[in-house]
Amino acid sequence: MSAQVSRETPTTPHAPSHGGGPSGKLFGVGLGPGDPSLMTLRAVEAIAAADVVAYHCARHGRSIARSIAAKHIREDQIEERLMYPLTVETTDHPGGYRGALDDFYEEASALLAAHLDAGRTVAVLAEGDPLFYGSYQHMHKRLAHRYETEVVPGVTSVSAAAASIGKPLVEAEETLTIIPGTLPEEELTARLAAADSAVVMKLGRTFPQVRRALSRTDRLADAHYVERATMEGQRTAPLAEVDPDSVPYFSVAVLPSRVDTGPAAPSYGEVAVVGTGPAGPAWLTPETRGALASATDLVGYTTYLDRVPERPGQRRHGSDNKVEAERAEFALDLARRGRRVAVVSGGDPGVFAMATAVLEAASQEPYADVPVRVLPGVTAANAAAAKAGAPLGHDYATISLSDRLKPWEVIAERLRAAAAADLVLALYNPGSRSRTWQVAQARELLLELRAADTPVVVARDVGGAEESVRVVTLSALDPSEVDMRTLLLIGSSQTQAVRRGDGGTVAWTPRRYPETEEGAAPGAGSPQSGG
């Protein structure tokens, strides 16, 4: 297999052969999206200066790049047609599809290098921009470090598509995501869910999965279809109306800016209970990002709502932290009126958070038909454990120390039971301005069943500006340092705390548990064991 060449011999001295003389110059020439009038002046100059004009093409031999630049190519210039050996991912090459292409790129770059070594200037034509999903980039990576090189940027199909539909791509603080439609469908769905604005390239046979991904992320109504932007036969349409069998490779899906329009009007009302993680956008999942972006209404505790960027067209309904039932019913009432509601919850909505309140209300007769989804988030225990090492590496129990919704006697009984079972404990809601004694009580209770040197992770404001994660012993735990923004991880008899070379302490609980006599757990009932 080799790079196939169609060549015309020059009749004027535009292709000198200098032997050992100076090398020629390499141009990567961006031609724009298809309309020859969108070529830049510099692109025309680079083609005019070339001794050799090269372009990639499929096995049928036709080249869109050459057709765009046709009127600027002279008869006295050498033309090198770099023909791909295959166009689909099936081949008997021992290295598979990627191996076949790598061999082709090596041979094609060697062909161009021979011209450059002979002192010839070589212009490699590229649709759109040479370094944007372009074939030229494979020549560039193999040649640019060896020869004088200039890349001439071109108008991309992304810009052309936006111009074709007359819609801004991004405004204000929005971000633009460029996605190849050849990604697996699950990955497409995740990327689209997390995107503000997006363009999906390389449709063709990928169109059905792109359409499904848009539908799964509630973005189908926002999506525009653009085919052969700026070329003859250009077509635009709402993507939902496009026949999949009519879609060529040179087409894109566009999700434009929502600054003026806001989220698309929902076809039905629903409530999505979303977890924002312990703090800030870095902890959001793609699914959560998508639900927050597509919601018409955000409902939640004001502190958690403040973590979510404001978006045009959305309504925000903030409230106090102690009105969970009322907040849940309010969200369900909005959904009954056809609104797409995101109930914002810190951490994971199913861990001491809003999912329970919403589902409890949704189980009542007035709201039984309202669709409810619960979208997971990173819970505080997992976030704190990751910062400390792996203290939750074995079995553990999660307990809230808040006695606002259950009596302290129940909490104490559960602490004793979990400690007797030698479970690591994740203690949520350990203290607040109105609850100052529970941590001290819990420590004294646990010291009856755990060794004094049991490692304790004290994690405060994980992911936030005031993040502090320390490992202390159970006896040294100071209740006065614990507040509502703190989470405690109490180790088991097997949990280790080790100081590492950087001076930090890492805590971890082994997954392997030692065998015990008569099934008794090590440390159970003995404050002297473990540590």
Side-chain angles (χ1 to χ4, degrees):
M1 178 190 64
S2 62
Q4 298 188 31
V5 179
S6 174
R7 176 181 303 172
E8 293 188 13
T9 303
T11 56
T12 58
H14 281 282
S17 179
H18 295 303
S23 298
K25 181 175 180 179
L26 174 67
F27 284 95
V29 184
L31 303 176
D35 184 345
S37 67
L38 292 177
M39 290 175 57
T40 65
L41 292 175
R42 185 57 183 152
V44 173
E45 292 170 353
I47 295 171
D51 304 304
V52 180
V53 177
Y55 43 84
H56 292 80
C57 66
R59 298 181 71 175
H60 51 58
R62 299 183 298 277
S63 167
I64 292 177
R66 192 196 185 285
S67 67
I68 297 171
K71 73 176 184 179
H72 303 289
I73 298 175
R74 304 186 307 273
E75 291 185 359
D76 61 311
Q77 290 173 310
I78 297 173
E79 293 189 36
E80 295 287 16
R81 187 175 60 179
L82 311 176
M83 183 180 293
Y84 278 105
L86 68 171
T87 55
V88 294
E89 297 183 19
T90 55
T91 176
D92 57 2
H93 190 282
Y97 179 78
R98 178 52 54 192
L101 286 184
D102 284 343
D103 282 355
F104 164 68
Y105 293 137
E106 289 295 333
E107 294 170 6
S109 60
L111 180 67
L112 301 183
H115 286 295
L116 293 165
D117 289 339
R120 302 185 183 104
T121 295
V122 177
V124 181
L125 308 183
E127 306 102 293
D129 182 271
L131 299 180
F132 184 77
Y133 291 121
S135 298
Y136 164 76
Q137 63 195 17
H138 301 288
M139 304 297 98
H140 187 86
K141 287 185 287 188
R142 290 165 171 81
L143 299 173
H145 63 289
R146 297 163 52 192
Y147 304 97
E148 181 185 359
T149 301
E150 179 181 337
V151 176
V152 181
V155 178
T156 68
S157 58
V158 171
S159 298
S164 297
I165 62 174
K167 300 283 187 180
L169 276 176
V170 279
E171 296 184 57
E173 284 74 43
E174 290 180 315
T175 59
L176 174 64
T177 303
I178 309 296
I179 308 170
T182 49
L183 289 177
E185 186 172 329
E186 289 298 316
E187 185 68 20
L188 276 170
T189 302
R191 301 284 180 137
L192 288 168
D196 290 335
S197 302
V199 175
V200 185
M201 314 278 294
K202 307 177 183 180
L203 294 186
R205 58 193 175 93
T206 73
F207 182 81
Q209 70 179 26
V210 172
R211 192 187 190 283
R212 288 193 298 269
L214 287 164
S215 180
R216 289 173 62 185
T217 53
D218 292 323
R219 304 300 297 273
L220 185 58
D222 296 326
H224 297 259
Y225 171 82
V226 182
E227 175 184 318
R228 295 186 175 91
T230 79
M231 301 182 190
E232 183 179 351
Q234 173 182 297
R235 176 167 66 122
T236 64
L239 189 137
E241 300 175 4
V242 174
D243 178 4
D245 294 333
S246 71
V247 177
Y249 180 80
F250 281 97
S251 56
V252 298
V254 182
L255 291 172
S257 167
R258 294 198 279 193
V259 165
D260 291 331
T261 63
S267 56
Y268 60 92
E270 72 157 7
V271 173
V273 193
V274 300
T276 60
W283 299 88
L284 294 176
T285 68
E287 186 179 29
T288 294
R289 286 183 182 274
L292 293 173
S294 62
T296 59
D297 295 77
L298 302 181
V299 174
Y301 175 37
T302 303
T303 298
Y304 298 147
L305 282 184
D306 289 343
R307 295 179 184 173
V308 182
E310 293 194 15
R311 290 181 172 84
Q314 283 186 335
R315 300 177 185 175
R316 302 165 77 92
H317 310 274
S319 57
D320 183 77
N321 195 32
K322 298 179 181 179
V323 291
E324 293 181 354
E326 295 88 338
R327 189 184 303 138
E329 291 185 4
F330 178 74
L332 291 163
D333 278 327
L334 287 174
R336 283 174 56 182
R337 300 200 297 268
R339 310 290 289 178
R340 185 186 293 127
V341 184
V343 176
V344 179
S345 183
D348 182 279
V351 181
F352 304 122
M354 279 301 300
T356 299
V358 172
L359 290 172
E360 184 176 0
S363 298
Q364 305 304 312
E365 181 56 36
Y367 309 114
D369 294 329
V370 176
V372 176
R373 294 185 294 150
V374 179
L375 308 185
V378 178
T379 187
N382 296 132
K387 293 288 186 178
L392 302 182
H394 206 297
D395 301 337
Y396 67 95
T398 301
I399 299 174
S400 171
L401 293 191
S402 173
D403 59 353
R404 187 168 68 85
L405 299 176
K406 63 180 183 289
W408 175 255
E409 290 74 21
V410 172
I411 298 171
E413 181 181 355
R414 291 176 179 179
L415 286 171
R416 289 191 185 94
D422 201 27
L423 298 173
V424 176
L425 301 176
L427 302 183
Y428 281 69
N429 307 317
S432 68
R433 280 177 290 186
S434 62
R435 293 188 298 105
T436 59
W437 55 270
Q438 282 89 341
V439 175
Q441 286 278 89
R443 184 189 66 178
E444 296 308 312
L445 184 155
L446 292 172
L447 280 170
E448 297 175 8
L449 298 165
R450 293 281 162 92
D453 60 353
T454 298
V456 176
V457 176
V458 182
R460 185 179 187 278
D461 193 32
V462 172
E466 300 177 14
E467 178 182 295
S468 171
V469 179
R470 299 181 296 118
V471 180
V472 301
T473 63
L474 182 57
S475 62
L477 175 62
D478 184 355
S480 67
E481 296 181 356
V482 177
D483 61 14
M484 197 65 177
R485 298 169 68 187
T486 304
L487 182 128
L488 300 176
L489 301 176
I490 314 294
S492 72
S493 68
Q494 303 303 303
T495 302
Q496 307 292 312
V498 178
R499 184 174 292 275
R500 291 178 50 79
D502 60 2
T505 298
V506 60
W508 53 280
T509 302
R511 294 179 62 193
R512 182 183 300 277
Y513 206 77
E515 294 183 6
T516 60
E517 293 184 6
E518 299 179 359
S526 173
Q528 303 304 316
S529 61

